[in-house]
Amino acid sequence: PISMMIAIFWAAVIALVAPLPVSGFLGVAAPRRLRRSHRPKTRHVRMVFSGIVEAMGEVVSLTPNAQMTLWDGSVGEGTELVVRHPIALDGAYVGCSIAVDGVCLTATRLDAEDASFAVGLSPETLRRTTLGLRRPGDRVNLERALAADARNSGHYVQGHVDGVATIEAAWSEGDSRWLRLRPPGALRPYLVEKGFVAVDGASLTVCDVDEATFTLMLVEHTQKLIVLPSKAIGDTVNLEVDVMAKYAAAATDAMTTQLAALATRLDALETRLAAVEADDSAAGTDCTGLD
């Protein structure tokens, strides 16, 4: 009967929606009693970077190292970057995180006398970022990882570079500096007007966005503290889009997929109902249900 079809329809809806969290389906925060049941018994507050560059360090060397000791005691080849600046060593220890041009890296050696530190660059880091292009004497933006109770004056920056953008244009307006950047096409959807973006690790505000590029404006104070104003047209920069935008996109994609599946089931039910109604009409009877 028709009641059975309705029951099948709502069963399909429930089957699709049941795996979703209450907050994701309704678009509101889950009730306190639900949220509390999922809270961890212990709280660990962790911070990464803010995008507020602390200093511009100097590249000492970028060299391949064929004698790196691996986890199992064997020897392998890698790439080591050495950067000099005293502020980076303040509170540093072997194993701590330091952002170099926006790339979260692990300090492997500290040299207090030279005020320098060394980090290893993985093949993925060399592919995804501009660090492989650095030469001795180049300046790089530096930021130490935030303390758990530190003030975040920028935005939540992971230090996980998404890709490399190219500087297409630069011009001045008063004491401010405009730049137009061309990001990889895959990152364009995550860039929105007045949204966050990290460029070489600096937390900046997106001004205008078109189909292929976006603009930034650097105030006079920022220009003196980061490397970006000294770069030329055609130079490349590390780009990290706002991670919240990526999470939102992933959640939306998951919901869209489930809604599409629901729509497909609903179409099938409507097709079946139309067929039953057509059969009943041809037989000269009322459509009272499915037999």
Side-chain angles (χ1 to χ4, degrees), residues 49 88 91-99 104-110 117-120 145:
F49 303 98
Y93 53 89
V94 172
C96 74
S97 295
I98 302 174
C104 178
L105 299 170
T106 301
T108 56
R109 288 189 295 108
L110 305 175
F117 64 94
V119 294

Side-chain angles (χ1 to χ4, degrees), residues 22-37:
V22 173
S23 58
F25 176 60
L26 299 180
V28 298
R32 183 179 298 276
R33 63 179 180 276
L34 293 180
R35 296 201 306 270
R36 186 174 299 162
S37 64

